[in-house]
Amino acid sequence: LSRLIEDLRTLGLAEAGTLALHREPTDLSIVAGEVGRSFERLASTAGAHVEIDLPDDLPLLDVDPIRLREVLANLVANAMRYVDSGGTVRIAARAGEDSVLVEVADDGPGIPAELLPTVFDRFAKSSESRGTGLGLAIARALVEAHGGRITAESGTGVGTTMTIELPNSLPVGR
């Protein structure tokens, strides 16, 4: 119950634009790599694996590293729930012109087409989900609080890819 209350509080503050972010120059490769490695034991136990594809030359981002870690951990945890034995969860990033894109992809069963438009809504979840349906809503709110956006692509039987786009707002040379 306390987790549900904290999730609703975080979501409400983020949606209202009053969530305090503790921004600092952050190396996304380090944060995303730590998240990926933290799931390797769980993946191994499930007969799956985590693939990490993070270039060393990503620009530093002006983000709250704790909140960014929370978003990525949520996406990887969701992907791990749906990947089968022998499957893969992939974390990848690349720099765009004015932003950095990070993808969390799995080769699981995918999200049914009728659920895809609402996956980031509060309490949206599939019938086999054990969660509260708040994780992706919180992820979206946190990404948007950073001035970014998050999208989902999926198809039944082809896996799911969650893409986060974060602005590259630090001055060049930092």
Side-chain angles (χ1 to χ4, degrees):
L1 185 58
S2 63
R3 176 61 192 216
L4 178 61
I5 291 168
E6 182 58 28
D7 284 351
L8 287 169
R9 180 184 163 285
T10 299
L11 185 57
L13 290 171
E15 288 178 346
T18 57
L19 180 69
L21 295 177
H22 303 286
R23 292 175 180 263
E24 60 186 70
T26 301
D27 186 331
L28 177 66
S29 290
I30 291 173
V31 174
E34 289 172 350
V35 169
R37 286 186 295 280
S38 74
F39 281 90
E40 286 176 341
R41 181 174 289 157
L42 175 64
S44 178
T45 301
H49 72 279
V50 176
E51 182 180 302
I52 302 170
D53 181 13
L54 303 167
D56 294 329
D57 62 348
L58 289 175
L60 293 178
L61 298 178
D62 186 30
V63 297
D64 182 329
I66 293 171
R67 293 300 188 175
L68 183 57
R69 185 175 283 112
E70 182 180 344
V71 170
L72 292 172
N74 177 276
L75 297 180
V76 174
N78 282 350
M80 288 299 303
R81 280 188 204 106
Y82 295 101
V83 73
D84 295 324
S85 180
T88 301
V89 173
R90 182 173 181 267
I91 304 167
R94 67 183 185 281
E97 191 169 313
D98 297 322
S99 62
V100 172
L101 298 169
V102 83
E103 293 179 344
V104 176
D106 67 69
D107 55 9
I111 299 171
E114 65 273 10
L115 297 179
L116 197 56
T118 62
V119 295
F120 296 107
D121 293 350
R122 288 180 183 211
F123 306 112
K125 61 184 202 167
S126 67
S127 58
E128 56 276 345
S129 175
R130 299 178 315 247
T132 61
L134 291 175
L136 290 178
I138 292 170
R140 177 182 63 188
L142 291 175
V143 169
E144 289 176 352
H146 283 89
R149 66 186 192 109
I150 185 170
T151 58
E153 292 180 47
S154 188
T156 303
V158 297
T160 300
T161 300
M162 298 287 180
T163 303
I164 300 167
E165 182 177 5
L166 294 167
N168 179 9
S169 55
L170 284 178
V172 174
R174 248 184 111 174

